[in-house]
Amino acid sequence: MSQPCEGCTCGRAQEALAATSGSGPRQLRSFTSPAEADPNATEGIEPAVPLRSKKWFNDPTDLGMSALYTERYLNQGLTVPELSPKNRPIIGIAQTGSDLSPCNKYHVELAKRVRDGIIAAGGTPLEFPCHPIQETGKRPTASLDRNLSYLSLVEVLFGYPLDGVVLLTGCDKTTPALLMAAATVNIPAIAMNVGPMLNGYSGQKLIGSGGVVWESRAQLAAGEITEAEFLHHVALSAPSAGHCNTIGTASTMNAMAEALGMALPGSASIPAVYRERGACAYATGLRIVQLVREDVKPSDIMTKEAFENAIACCAAIGGSTNAPIHLNAIAKHVGVQLDCDDWERVGYKLPLILNVQPAGQWLCEEYHRAGGLPAIVAELLEHDALPHPSALTVSGKSIGANCRGDLSQDRRVIVPFDKPLMAEAGFLHLKGSLFNSGIMKTSVISKAFREQYLSNPNDPMAFEGPVAVFDGPEDYHHRIEKSPNIGPGTILIMRGAGPVGYPGAAEVVNMIPPGELIKKGIELPCIGDGRQSGTSGSPSILNASPEAATGGMLGYLKDGDRVRIDLLKRTADVLLSESEIEERKNEVGSYQFPKSQTPWQEIYRGSVSELSEGMVIKSAVKYQRLAQTQGIPRQNH
């Protein structure tokens, strides 16, 4: 008589069991846990260190708990041979795509190819969702959730049976959140972004994501377009799945992941819907299994040398002012000393060689076809301008070996190192009585701005003027067209926009002058304790630390105070004496900001550091390399 099938409830099953009584126990047929399965079976290459997942699924010292863990993971159709063999790694797929995260939504499809690669290499994939972070959807700001997503992923990577993880990144904050968590737990990891959107067009004109918003906003303020035309122009910039198609924060941060060595060479620039993106997903799945077997961890890749390479690449591509915030944060979690002085020291004197919006002309489709980041790195290597060519990457080779000789064949898009778009294109790190730390992106200083503010032969690369102070974007939008004292030379100040004040540090320093000045072609300098979109072409001074809400000088400014910026001296000062500053502080008192609206906002405000320090949870940075220092978590039953 044949055996009843596993889970069978028909009468024949009971009859079959009854017929066997007295002749010894009979095994039920099981596809998920066949009786002949050997939990000690091995397959593939012997891993360099024992796989941590086997402490869940194959621990000979506690078979009862191993049975408990294994039993429930079988109910989704997995089998014992996929979980228990000591040489078969369990690979997590950190999924950031969802309906709430349209920039990353295509990862729902791409993850299938990642799975294929993992299985082909002899691993078992387990996909799981990450906390959604969508720059254009989350209020009050997506950066509020970067640290929340980081905390969540740390708990997943440390507390679940995972030997390695594929980090599916894309929209701005997803990339640093996932890299921060991988750095903290320090199990083998590899990143792959969703890819930029295809080019947007208005007729024959290229329309870049983000940048079209600032351009159309100025046209609307000047009365050149209607509100309906404003929305239409902006919508044209998003023609396909993927993240921003300019070198905004998304493309910057995914280039930084590749420059750090945490993503496969050439992967960051592939447009989302190109077939190469699916092939890259498969290759990424293959490679993470090898990284686990070789025990190559984030701490082996993300060294000080790797961060300096990333800074150099950021300057060369005209990357976002959000990059210092996020890379400083990642460095803190992996135990590398990195600060804003390093950004100027390593990157400022390097040239801008990528001709892509907002600092250039083209969009990311052209960037990819021109060679992507490997062509940028190759150009730096040709001129001995990449600080550390021997830095290891997840490919198993050094960044130099990956990219040397991959020079671009499209010199419209990636220009020669010795014929750059701008000779010195990195970030300036400014300090003074106005703040202790502020970042200025030099690659987007326009000819008009340079002529108006930085060309005085008696005071070169310096300007000063009266300030117009705004307490958040609401105040700015309410008063910018009504304030009678805003004219040529006025410096616009945005405060209350930092990690504590907003909360989360919002991209609200995207200020434009009143419409009457725009019509005359007049730009105004902007300074803020918040952030600016990476797609913005404004040469603002950003990330001012300390912020107004934590006692920074911006909180004590009044309309009409004069501020001086000297780029040669790297200084930013309010033209008040020390005694006047103290008198002002006593007069004004502590800066007032909106109350917290959610539990997380209160927790965040009580734990977050300044933008210059990476906006990290201050108490979290002491938890490092958890997989090595903390071992395996305690049993749950």
Side-chain angles (χ1 to χ4, degrees), residues 473-549:
E474 300 85 358
D475 185 31
Y476 162 76
H477 290 298
H478 178 68
R479 291 197 296 119
I480 187 62
E481 298 292 344
K482 301 176 183 178
S483 300
N485 299 322
I486 298 178
T490 299
I491 299 172
L492 305 180
I493 302 289
M494 176 66 72
R495 66 186 180 190
V500 172
Y502 205 75
E507 292 185 342
V508 294
V509 194
N510 300 305
M511 296 184 287
I512 60 174
E516 288 302 314
L517 296 184
I518 292 174
K519 293 175 183 178
K520 298 175 183 177
I522 295 174
E523 297 184 54
L524 297 182
C526 301
I527 299 174
D529 61 3
R531 301 178 300 110
Q532 190 173 79
S533 171
T535 61
S536 176
S538 168
S540 302
I541 298 171
L542 305 163
N543 311 347
S545 306
E547 60 174 305

Side-chain angles (χ1 to χ4, degrees), residues 265-457:
S267 64
S269 63
I270 305 169
V273 296
Y274 276 25
R275 68 179 186 185
E276 282 297 295
R277 180 54 68 186
C280 176
Y282 180 80
T284 299
L286 287 174
R287 186 58 191 149
I288 185 58
V289 176
Q290 292 306 111
L291 290 170
V292 169
R293 287 174 174 154
E294 297 163 9
D295 193 34
V296 177
K297 302 176 291 296
S299 61
D300 301 317
I301 304 291
M302 293 194 289
T303 61
K304 182 63 177 276
E305 291 75 17
F307 282 99
E308 292 189 349
N309 284 342
I311 291 172
C313 291
C314 190
I317 67 174
S320 167
T321 51
N322 290 306
I325 302 169
H326 298 316
L327 262 70
N328 290 0
I330 298 166
K332 284 186 179 297
H333 288 294
V334 80
V336 169
Q337 295 298 314
L338 190 75
D339 59 33
C340 292
D341 284 334
D342 291 314
W343 282 83
E344 180 174 327
R345 174 181 59 83
V346 176
Y348 172 63
K349 292 187 178 297
L350 290 173
L352 174 65
I353 58 175
L354 180 62
N355 189 14
V356 169
Q357 298 176 24
Q361 177 182 0
W362 303 98
L363 293 174
C364 282
E365 272 197 88
E366 285 81 12
Y367 171 41
H368 176 63
R369 289 200 296 267
L373 193 71
I376 297 290
V377 173
E379 198 71 32
L380 296 175
L381 287 167
E382 283 286 302
H383 297 270
D384 295 322
L386 188 75
H388 306 286
S390 62
L392 181 65
T393 74
V394 290
S395 74
K397 301 178 181 178
S398 71
I399 189 171
N402 284 337
C403 304
R404 193 176 300 278
D406 283 353
L407 296 171
S408 177
Q409 299 302 306
D410 189 344
R411 290 308 193 178
R412 302 171 308 155
V413 181
I414 298 177
V415 304
F417 184 92
D418 52 3
K419 296 179 181 178
L421 301 171
M422 181 178 290
E424 296 178 336
F427 298 128
L428 288 175
H429 188 208
L430 307 177
K431 306 174 185 179
S433 61
L434 197 59
F435 44 70
N436 295 340
S437 175
I439 289 289
M440 186 174 189
K441 180 177 176 178
T442 61
S443 63
V444 291
I445 296 178
S446 67
K447 181 180 179 181
F449 187 93
R450 192 175 297 275
E451 289 177 353
Q452 185 176 350
Y453 295 101
L454 303 175
S455 299
N456 182 348

Side-chain angles (χ1 to χ4, degrees), residues 587-623:
E587 173 193 349
V588 174
S590 60
Y591 185 79
Q592 300 301 303
F593 50 85
K595 66 179 182 180
S596 296
Q597 299 169 303
T598 66
W600 170 239
Q601 289 184 15
E602 182 173 342
I603 293 168
Y604 177 92
R605 279 172 155 159
S607 63
V608 71
S609 67
E610 300 284 350
L611 285 170
S612 61
E613 298 171 352
M615 198 171 59
V616 297
I617 297 172
K618 287 180 280 191
S619 61
V621 295
K622 67 176 179 285
Y623 293 92

Side-chain angles (χ1 to χ4, degrees), residues 113-143:
R113 292 298 287 145
V114 175
R115 284 176 171 271
D116 291 342
I118 292 169
I119 294 168
T124 297
L126 295 180
E127 185 177 345
F128 57 89
C130 294
H131 181 85
I133 313 179
Q134 176 61 34
E135 187 63 43
T136 58
K138 174 60 194 285
R139 298 169 73 169
T141 171
S143 66

